[in-house]
Amino acid sequence: MGAGLPDQSHEDSETVLSTGPRHETPGSLATTGRGADDAELVRRALLGEYPAWRDIVDRHLPMVNAIARSYRLSTPDREDVVQTVWLTLNQHLPRLREPRHLKAWLSRVTRDKCLRQRERDARQYPTDPEAFAHIGGAAPDPETEYLRKERDATLRRAVDGLRDPDERRAALRYLEPESVPRAEDPRVASNHRRRMVRRLRDSLEDV
Amino acid sequence: MSGTWAFEGRDAALAAFDRSADGTELAEPVREGGPRTEVMRSTEDPVVAELSFGFEDVRIELRLHARERVRTVSGTVHGDFAYALLEARRPDGHREDVVSIEETGDFVIPDLRRGPLCLTLRRDDAPPITTEWFIL
């Protein structure tokens, strides 16, 4: 994407297809698209007019940068986000339904990408394992965790083996209180629970 | 709006201009989120994000793995094709890697650096499909 080398023979032309980066400052821009609205710039950029794309960038890059900075991402992440916003616009240029709303589109896409990047950073933030040494004792070791899962699976199989739906519900309420709504009558629930525990014990003895 | 930072990234933004792929089908993001599955083997790099892209009946599901500065993309391509290749590309047009899709639809692209990436799915009997750019 954007791989083509700048074609020197078209340096002064309005139409440059697939051009590479230009190292010029916004102040030295040609004024071809200054007065054009976004829809017009998009239309011309779609025809391959590099100056139209340049004018889109110069018009909206400060807003994209301001949004990206407001998310307080690291510098490399922010640079990746901003670059990806423009790559995404380039991809979507032929598919924009409302080119005159380009500013809103860019704003939405920038916020979305910043948010995703921030969420991802939160999941991969480098942490010194020593920082957790003091809470290590509270975490179950892998073997305990494995045995817990195996016990849960066995219990779940035993619950699935209960034929009476009420008992099955009561068992589930006992094992996973959040997964089943509470019964109206506490005495009924208590009876079910007693019956269910008895049957579960029987089932587990058979396993 | 002003500031010395206002035009940061301008060169990269200008370089994004490329009309050569306008005819390519674009697979747009369907979902992105944190890892839904537990890492079962410690040898596997941790998954930091899962995302999927869709175009018509093709779905490309990706898992992004990170270990220090090295990134790996693994995933599954769902769709009707006999043979397919997946091409990883960078913003400068550099083709980073090409991998074949297994019969199960699975693939792995290891040893990637951070930064924007897009994937192009090349099938034996259908036009190529390119994913929207995503950050690795």
Side-chain angles (χ1 to χ4, degrees):
Chain A
M1 183 130 334
L5 293 170
D7 184 348
Q8 298 300 319
S9 66
H10 289 82
E11 200 59 33
D12 297 319
S13 169
E14 284 291 295
T15 304
V16 180
L17 290 169
S18 190
T19 181
R22 304 295 181 88
H23 298 280
E24 58 195 355
T25 59
S28 68
L29 295 177
T31 55
T32 50
R34 282 279 164 85
D37 63 16
D38 283 346
E40 172 64 11
L41 290 177
V42 167
R43 188 189 67 76
R44 285 168 40 197
L46 275 172
L47 295 172
E49 288 187 25
Y50 173 77
W53 175 261
R54 185 189 55 201
D55 289 338
I56 291 172
V57 169
D58 288 332
R59 183 175 290 176
H60 297 297
L61 181 60
M63 177 196 70
V64 170
N65 274 331
I67 293 172
R69 291 181 84 86
S70 74
Y71 280 79
R72 300 192 180 281
L73 302 169
S74 69
T75 303
D77 283 349
R78 191 180 68 237
E79 288 171 355
D80 283 348
V81 164
V82 172
Q83 185 179 14
T84 307
V85 168
W86 295 104
L87 290 162
T88 306
L89 174 62
N90 178 72
Q91 276 184 322
H92 280 266
L93 215 54
R95 300 168 181 85
L96 288 179
R97 275 173 289 190
E98 298 278 358
R100 65 200 169 90
H101 293 150
L102 179 62
K103 185 178 180 181
W105 188 94
L106 280 168
S107 169
R108 181 176 57 78
V109 170
T110 307
R111 287 180 198 285
D112 181 60
K113 293 199 181 298
C114 286
L115 201 59
R116 286 166 191 239
Q117 190 61 34
R118 195 167 67 180
E119 287 171 355
R120 204 185 292 177
D121 283 349
R123 289 192 289 270
Q124 67 184 64
Y125 192 80
T127 309
D128 181 1
E130 291 295 315
F132 295 108
H134 65 288
I135 56 169
D141 60 89
E143 189 179 350
T144 307
E145 187 68 5
Y146 178 80
L147 290 172
R148 185 188 62 76
K149 284 186 177 176
E150 197 172 50
R151 186 202 63 196
D152 287 353
T154 308
L155 278 169
R156 172 61 83 154
R157 278 197 299 276
V159 170
D160 288 343
L162 293 172
R163 291 183 183 169
D164 182 348
D166 289 338
E167 285 187 358
R168 206 158 45 233
R169 261 198 302 279
L172 277 176
R173 191 176 299 123
Y174 183 70
L175 294 172
E176 301 166 5
E178 301 302 318
S179 67
V180 183
R182 290 246 153 245
E184 294 294 328
D185 185 345
R187 283 178 305 175
V188 173
S190 177
N191 287 339
H192 276 145
R193 195 158 50 239
R194 271 199 295 277
R195 268 212 313 270
M196 171 272 298
V197 169
R198 196 166 54 242
R199 281 176 188 256
L200 276 178
R201 281 208 186 102
D202 293 345
S203 302
L204 288 172
E205 281 168 9
D206 294 340
V207 171
Chain B
M1 196 173 312
S2 64
T4 54
W5 47 263
F7 286 95
E8 276 178 3
R10 183 170 181 267
D11 286 346
L14 294 178
F17 186 60
D18 178 14
R19 304 271 52 86
S20 65
D22 280 357
T24 312
E25 308 294 4
L26 183 65
E28 298 197 40
V30 177
R31 191 192 75 83
E32 172 164 356
R36 286 183 297 179
T37 52
E38 291 182 57
V39 176
M40 299 306 286
R41 290 176 297 158
S42 60
T43 53
E44 193 174 78
D45 289 348
V47 177
V48 292
E50 292 183 345
L51 51 160
S52 60
F53 296 90
F55 175 77
E56 293 183 349
D57 61 338
V58 174
R59 204 169 78 249
I60 303 172
E61 292 182 346
L62 305 179
R63 289 181 295 279
L64 311 187
H65 307 253
R67 189 174 294 279
E68 296 174 0
R69 289 169 183 266
V70 181
R71 301 289 182 268
T72 296
V73 177
S74 68
T76 309
V77 179
H78 302 275
D80 188 20
F81 53 83
Y83 178 75
L85 293 172
L86 203 58
E87 191 179 288
R89 285 190 307 126
R90 293 296 185 175
D92 57 4
H94 172 64
R95 198 169 69 178
E96 183 111 351
D97 204 351
V98 182
V99 297
S100 56
I101 310 291
E102 294 176 22
E103 279 184 27
T104 54
D106 294 342
F107 65 88
V108 179
I109 312 175
D111 301 326
L112 298 165
R113 61 185 162 80
R114 292 179 55 160
L117 188 81
C118 81
L119 303 175
T120 299
L121 178 70
R122 299 191 183 280
R123 296 169 290 170
D124 52 343
D125 56 353
I129 298 173
T130 298
T131 66
E132 196 176 274
W133 287 92
F134 58 94
I135 299 170
L136 196 54

